[in-house]
Amino acid sequence: ALLLYTGILADTGSFKYSTTSSWTHLVTSELLKHSLDVYGIYRRLYESMPFETMKAFGKIISTLKTNASGKVAWLEIRNHLIRKNPTLAEQTDEIIRFARSIKGVEVALLFKEIRPNREIRVNMRSRDRVDVNKLAKIFGGGGHVMASGCTLRGRFQDVVAKVVAEAEKRAA
């Protein structure tokens, strides 16, 4: 019950995503019959970040940019920061949320430099109007309408420019 509840909590964004259905809540209500420590689970999942990781978030947030219309926002994590703090590679949802939560943003992007100027992981999130799965497919990736991604090779800034340009077309 603990593992199922934790998975549902994470996958539904703490039950806030539009795809969270009444069925999800029914299943969860059955799991809660097993005396789960709901707040403890939430705290371990979302409120137990190491101090250094939180400091790294500040560096990442300082890279936040938007396009001219304010409909596309993106963040960058360079390889040296990931090497210093490997847990950043697992914090995609928490990091990209900063870009997606900006008023007017339709597409949020997170560019993670896996190997310097060779391999860049691009995570894509949509507020609701833009199908980021179609965007990811252009670059050989996939996912679903609201959350997708791809991995590209090339110079970091070239990859950013290429993906942002395609995102701008869809968010216009």
Side-chain angles (χ1 to χ4, degrees):
L2 171 66
L3 297 176
L4 289 171
Y5 180 84
T6 303
I8 291 170
L9 184 67
D11 287 350
T12 62
S14 298
F15 305 99
K16 70 179 176 260
Y17 297 143
S18 61
T19 53
T20 304
S21 66
S22 59
W23 174 251
T24 306
H25 287 284
L26 285 171
V27 168
T28 304
S29 72
E30 289 298 314
L31 295 172
L32 291 174
K33 292 176 182 176
H34 295 276
S35 302
L36 299 176
D37 176 11
V38 174
Y39 179 59
I41 295 166
Y42 178 87
R43 205 173 55 245
R44 283 189 300 280
L45 199 59
Y46 297 112
E47 296 179 347
S48 60
M49 191 175 299
F51 178 76
E52 289 306 319
T53 302
M54 186 60 78
K55 294 277 287 183
F57 269 35
K59 291 176 183 171
I60 296 164
I61 292 169
S62 73
T63 71
L64 181 64
K65 296 176 184 72
T66 63
N67 70 334
S69 71
K71 292 183 178 183
V72 179
W74 64 96
L75 296 148
E76 302 174 359
I77 306 177
R78 299 305 290 251
N79 184 263
H80 69 275
L81 196 54
I82 294 172
R83 279 196 322 264
K84 279 186 190 175
N85 199 325
T87 61
L88 288 175
E90 303 160 12
Q91 301 288 334
T92 299
D93 288 331
E94 290 78 12
I95 296 167
I96 204 166
R97 182 174 38 91
F98 290 105
R100 189 171 63 182
S101 66
I102 298 169
K103 184 177 181 179
V105 167
E106 293 293 332
V107 177
L109 304 167
L110 175 61
F111 296 91
K112 289 188 285 192
E113 185 179 44
I114 306 304
R115 283 189 267 163
N117 285 316
R118 289 192 200 131
E119 187 176 340
I120 296 92
R121 175 73 186 156
V122 186
N123 298 97
M124 305 170 180
R125 300 293 184 271
S126 174
R127 186 174 303 269
D128 59 13
R129 196 175 62 75
V130 177
D131 182 345
V132 291
N133 185 37
K134 289 180 181 175
L135 176 61
K137 284 184 178 182
I138 291 170
F139 301 106
H144 57 85
V145 173
M146 303 287 281
S148 293
C150 61
T151 302
L152 298 171
R153 296 186 185 283
R155 287 191 28 197
F156 191 85
Q157 293 308 327
D158 294 342
V159 169
V160 170
K162 189 184 331 182
V163 175
V164 167
E166 284 297 327
E168 286 174 330
K169 291 177 190 175
R170 281 150 185 76

